[in-house]
Amino acid sequence: MSVQTSPVGVTRTGAAGVTESPGGPARLLLRLLLSAVGLLCLPQENAARVPPLLRALWVLVPGVRVRGIVVSVSPVSPAALRVRGRSSGQRPRDRGARSPLKRRCRRHSAAALGWAAARLRRGRPRGVAAMLRARWVLPLAVGAGLGAALARWERREHRERGDAAEGLLARLPVLPAVAAASLPAPPGSVRTELSKYGLPGLAQLRSRESYVLCYDPRSRSALWVIEQLNRDTLSGASDRAACDFQEDDSVHEYHRATNADYRGSGFDRGHLAAAANHRWSQKAMRDTFYLSNIAPQNPHLNQNAWNNLEKYCRSLAKNNRNVYVCTGPLFLPRMEADGKMYVKYQVIGKNNVAVPTHFFKVLILEKESGEIELRSYVMPNSPVDDKIPLERFLVPIESIERASGLLFVPNILRRTSNLKAITAGKQ
């Protein structure tokens, strides 16, 4: 056992690396409790970071002896802190590698440390009782300063992440579905207990510069993709040849498609949000080539009738204030020879990417007059004669809502009552 002398007394360091001070285990336990009370000042969301924060106290407070856990705090004068830090090795070993978080914490706790030192100088505690009262101040002050610093840091980081990730999501007036933000609490139960080990899955939204999508991990494609078209988005110098189809790394590897899945499948990699809709930005166009925005599409359909529908959407954007286009796959039932209805679809590649039976496209037109017009189309995922007029594929919006499990009209009516739905034979 080694003995070290400090300006406020003698401390004994045992073989296990635990620092003790005069007064025995009772006073040591009291200081441990006070340190814990100080840490309670931390925000609740930082509870999972407590072990690193305990180690951070060694950096923030010279005079704290740490071997994996805070065991004592010995407040001393600033001059004694400088001498003690050099002689007994209390300062952190890597002085140059201070993170921005540590620098913020040191600044916020400086006022608390100065106040505690001034309290000691004024009171000049004498005797064990007065010294013990002085030692109560430092753990509480340091914990409060550390908690305030981390709270400010968390709020700023969250705000920066939110601003960067919002993208198109903040600009869209209507989304086809609203994901549950939290688990509903059954009567008489504790909600947090049900999600103790996490929830296996929630709606997977992806917000990118050119579109927002809701991903379906079972089909390895999107449930829906919504994009905003207007005169500005259709003009630009973006080059499609500079874009390549790529995996979406934001999707877990178990649930995402790869380019190898499409190779030799007989299907095109069909865009849901079309690349030609976003010439205004090279990055916006490149984002449409993520495979999460792609679905297996019949080549004849992709290159003819479906391409004509995409061109028609762009022509509408030139004559309206905004056109919001929502596109997605459908898996519709079909009656078999036994007279029963079945939902059957092909899968391709080793990741079993689902081949939709149909595709839908819902257009929400904002007229210059303020009127909202709704057009909804469904096409089969099979060869379609491109000479067939597009109005032949107009369907009531209710049929898409029933088949897809999505809702459009209720969300639109929350924004306006001036809604006009266009169906086949009605222009």
Side-chain angles (χ1 to χ4, degrees), residues 49-308:
R49 303 186 182 184
V50 166
L53 293 177
L54 288 172
R55 291 192 293 273
L57 283 177
W58 186 29
V59 178
L60 295 173
V61 188
V64 177
R65 305 277 187 155
V66 178
R67 290 291 179 88
I69 187 170
V70 176
V71 294
S72 72
V73 178
S74 302
V76 293
S77 66
L81 288 176
R82 290 194 294 269
V83 173
R84 189 175 180 183
R86 286 194 295 266
S87 60
S88 58
Q90 301 294 319
R91 298 175 68 88
R93 296 177 183 175
D94 185 3
R95 300 184 181 183
R98 289 181 183 169
S99 67
L101 173 60
K102 288 182 180 180
R103 289 196 294 270
R104 292 189 192 99
C105 292
R106 290 182 71 90
R107 287 198 300 270
H108 280 273
S109 59
L113 288 172
W115 175 76
R119 175 76 176 269
L120 289 174
R121 287 196 299 270
R122 286 197 306 270
R124 296 195 179 277
R126 296 178 181 177
V128 175
M131 187 180 301
L132 185 57
R133 283 197 300 271
R135 292 182 182 179
W136 294 358
V137 176
L138 191 57
L140 294 173
V142 171
L146 186 59
L150 283 172
R152 285 185 56 188
W153 178 71
E154 285 287 340
R155 284 194 297 270
R156 194 178 78 174
E157 290 293 314
H158 179 72
R159 185 165 57 250
E160 290 175 354
R161 287 195 301 267
D163 292 343
E166 245 182 356
L168 181 63
L169 190 61
R171 306 197 302 271
L172 293 175
V174 176
L175 286 178
V178 178
S182 59
L183 183 69
S189 69
V190 181
R191 177 169 49 188
T192 54
E193 276 299 310
L194 296 179
S195 57
K196 180 178 180 180
Y197 297 105
L199 301 176
L202 291 172
Q204 299 188 25
L205 289 177
R206 300 289 187 276
S207 177
R208 297 210 162 90
E209 192 164 346
S210 48
Y211 59 85
V212 174
L213 68 77
C214 182
Y215 191 73
D216 181 10
R218 291 193 304 174
S219 67
R220 284 31 168 184
S221 185
L223 287 170
W224 52 262
V225 179
I226 191 166
E227 51 188 328
Q228 179 187 20
L229 307 185
N230 53 44
R231 300 176 188 91
D232 296 331
T233 66
L234 301 179
S235 58
S238 298
D239 184 10
R240 182 188 176 105
C243 303
D244 294 314
F245 290 98
Q246 56 185 318
E247 297 180 31
D248 189 342
D249 292 335
S250 70
V251 177
H252 194 280
E253 61 180 346
Y254 290 174
H255 305 144
R256 67 177 180 235
T258 66
N259 284 309
D261 294 323
Y262 286 86
R263 195 170 298 121
S265 67
F267 290 93
D268 280 359
R269 291 168 290 193
H271 285 76
L272 299 177
N277 293 349
H278 302 284
R279 298 184 184 277
W280 57 282
S281 163
Q282 186 67 48
K283 182 181 185 304
M285 178 176 283
R286 189 180 299 114
D287 283 350
T288 66
F289 282 80
Y290 280 112
L291 292 180
S292 53
N293 179 52
I294 303 298
Q297 198 165 40
N298 179 276
H300 188 278
L301 174 70
N302 183 40
Q303 298 162 26
N304 295 280
W306 189 257
N307 186 39
N308 292 340

Side-chain angles (χ1 to χ4, degrees), residues 361-424:
K361 195 176 284 287
V362 175
L363 312 182
I364 304 170
L365 282 66
E366 287 183 351
K367 300 284 189 180
E368 296 292 348
S369 62
E371 182 185 37
I372 303 298
E373 188 175 290
L374 190 64
R375 298 171 181 248
S376 44
Y377 299 84
V378 171
M379 285 188 178
N381 193 11
S382 57
V384 172
D385 188 352
D386 59 347
K387 295 182 175 61
I388 299 176
L390 289 176
E391 64 184 41
R392 292 274 300 274
F393 299 99
L394 279 167
V395 299
I397 186 60
E398 293 85 358
S399 63
I400 295 179
E401 290 179 321
R402 289 177 182 274
S404 65
L406 307 175
L407 291 176
F408 294 90
V409 175
N411 292 340
I412 297 174
L413 291 178
R414 291 192 187 100
R415 292 274 181 169
T416 180
S417 58
N418 192 11
L419 176 62
K420 177 183 177 181
I422 303 296
T423 56

Side-chain angles (χ1 to χ4, degrees), residues 301-358:
L301 174 70
N302 183 40
Q303 298 162 26
N304 295 280
W306 189 257
N307 186 39
N308 292 340
L309 180 56
E310 292 176 339
K311 290 178 180 178
Y312 179 62
C313 294
R314 291 192 283 274
S315 70
L316 291 173
K318 296 177 181 178
N319 302 314
N320 293 276
R321 183 186 305 167
N322 284 297
V323 177
Y324 295 91
V325 183
C326 185
T327 310
L330 291 173
F331 299 86
L332 301 183
R334 185 174 60 182
M335 184 176 291
E336 297 289 336
D338 59 2
K340 298 180 180 180
M341 302 291 287
Y342 295 90
V343 176
K344 290 185 177 180
Y345 55 88
Q346 182 182 347
V347 295
I348 60 173
K350 68 175 184 179
N351 292 303
N352 296 326
V353 181
V355 179
T357 63
H358 296 73

